[in-house]
Amino acid sequence: MKAVAYIEPMKVEVQDIEYPGLELKDGPGVNPANVGRQCPHGVILRCVSTNICGSDQHMVRGRTTAPPGLILGHEITGEVVEVGRDVEFIKQGDLVSVPFNIACGRCRMCKEGHTGVCLNVNPDRPGSAYGYVDMGGWQGGQAEYVMVPYADWNLLPFPDRDQAMEKILDLTMLSDIFPTGYHGCVSAGVGTGSTVYVAGAGPVGLAAAASAQLLGASVVIVGDMNADRLAHARSFGCETVDLTQSGALPDKIEQIVGEPVVDAAVDAVGFEARGHGKDAGEAPATVLNSIMEITRAAGKLGIPGLYVTGDPGGVDAAAQEGSLSIRIGLGWAKSHSFTTGQCPVMRYHRQLMNAILRDKVQIAKAVNATTISIDEAPQGYAQFDSGVAEKFVIDPHGLVKA
């Protein structure tokens, strides 16, 4: 079958690889302790849609320790074509959303709802994801088929296949960026009448902006340096701040909401942040420090943007191990609350599915979903890296309507 593999910085290619089975086999990035792991609790999916994520782009830029040959892809929606012996409730033919978090459903973290830090799927540390560096080695879903373990626990079946296929470009966002953006807003305390600042107008930032609107925010402000992405944010009702322009961020916030602070802020950028200003270079703590500056006293910060423990391209030795110069004193003085880490997708995906199916939100429009074939994946990665205001959805089998 075809699959998208990371080769080296700024290069991916479509390869022919072995069809998956209900066993975790050795390969690039597979933890030795996971090799041979049997998965009778798993299923094989035919991938209906599988998206390119900004987190994938970090690896493709060479900003992680991802090994050559790693099969990419953690945003998966598919049809069940094979069911393992121990699967009881998921059936062949089900059309399902796959949370990007791989979780066992049995450990303390899973039972407490912290599925982003499952204790049993990654021998290195808590938490796992498909096709991602240091996450245990579960094969990615930017492929024609993929194996999903613990299927009864992990998978979200859509109630009506025909209805789901009509809205598949919206529903494909349930695997990651819609719940992730929503989680950023919920953990930042967004509610009715809130004023909200979202740092970053990439797909997760746009998903967070749409989520803030869904949660009842009165004003959603999106900050970025990319004019096309800011224009897209304005297309669905957001205010915007162009961070290439001179002037302090609190002053720009005050021009919009009447005071230099907001109720809630979301970091949808992560560790490749740049300083503010037209010619600013990379400054990985910029977003964290700026959202502390503009969030009101006793406010909350949602931080779904990715931060890593290993960054070969970091600006200095500290950044290369994920140590950043954060103004924790400012956050302490303002009694801020911080929430970081992988979004626990299962906490939100059923509710967000219902919002999509009942036309309460148009998330595909908000992130400008664009369908490409699996053979076009390398071009999709290149275009995404150039900063286009699009969310690329790979359609491996030609099943997604134009």
Side-chain angles (χ1 to χ4, degrees), residues 16 19 48 61 115 189 292 340 344:
D16 288 322
Y19 183 87
V48 172
R61 289 189 186 122
T115 54
M292 279 190 279
T340 66

Side-chain angles (χ1 to χ4, degrees), residues 10 18 52 71-72 92 96 119 123 125 138 171 182 194 197 205 216 221-222 226 233 265 274 322 379 381 383:
M10 303 313 299
E18 185 179 353
I52 296 176
I71 302 302
L72 300 166
Q92 188 172 351
V96 297
L119 302 176
R125 59 188 181 197
W138 301 88
L171 294 170
Y182 191 85
S194 296
Y197 178 76
I221 306 166
V222 180
N226 183 310
R274 292 169 54 196
Q379 298 96 300
Y381 271 98
Q383 287 182 268

Side-chain angles (χ1 to χ4, degrees), residues 111-130:
K111 289 181 178 181
E112 293 180 359
H114 304 299
T115 54
V117 281
C118 173
L119 302 176
N120 289 331
V121 288
N122 182 1
D124 282 335
R125 59 188 181 197
S128 189
Y130 303 89

